[in-house]
Amino acid sequence: MRGRSSKREQRGGRNCVGRRGRSRGGNYPNNSLEAPKWQQIAWGKQMSSQDATVDSVLSVFAAHGHRFSARNVATAAHRIAKIGRKQSHRLKQDNRVKALATACLNSLNDFEAQHLANVA
């Protein structure tokens, strides 16, 4: 058929494997240190619940932050900023916040646009 391009050509001649931002399917982490997807979801829900406090979010991060996906790092930072607005003086002194800021910098290349917007 003349004039029609295949879906592969519309994608720039590449297949979907290795496309940034796409899931590989299943519950596999992006790297060996990252926890499985089901655990990431549980942590995300815990941090985003209505009864979450600055301390509860920082506690989840302190306990499991080294295994967080970029999404959960961004979620933790956003929740701390949103919930802890009136506690900024105390938060500046908290080493867990400093560790979270470092995690944000380390995750910067893995952030999607929405994650970056939430952290900015």
Side-chain angles (χ1 to χ4, degrees), residues 22-101:
R22 294 286 182 180
S23 171
R24 294 182 299 170
N27 288 325
Y28 304 107
N30 288 334
N31 65 47
S32 61
L33 297 177
E34 226 173 76
K37 188 175 181 178
W38 66 268
Q39 184 64 64
Q40 299 289 343
I41 292 169
W43 289 330
K45 285 182 179 180
Q46 189 175 355
M47 291 186 292
S48 298
S49 70
Q50 286 192 355
D51 59 338
T53 63
V54 169
D55 228 23
S56 69
V57 172
L58 287 174
S59 293
V60 170
F61 175 76
H64 308 290
H66 64 284
R67 298 185 65 208
F68 272 15
S69 64
R71 174 186 298 240
N72 277 344
V73 171
T75 298
H78 183 255
R79 295 298 291 169
I80 295 303
K82 186 174 180 178
I83 301 170
R85 286 183 181 149
K86 296 179 182 175
Q87 303 172 31
S88 64
H89 180 69
R90 182 180 72 87
L91 292 175
K92 287 178 186 177
Q93 314 277 322
D94 195 324
N95 286 331
R96 298 175 297 177
V97 174
K98 293 175 185 176
L100 179 57

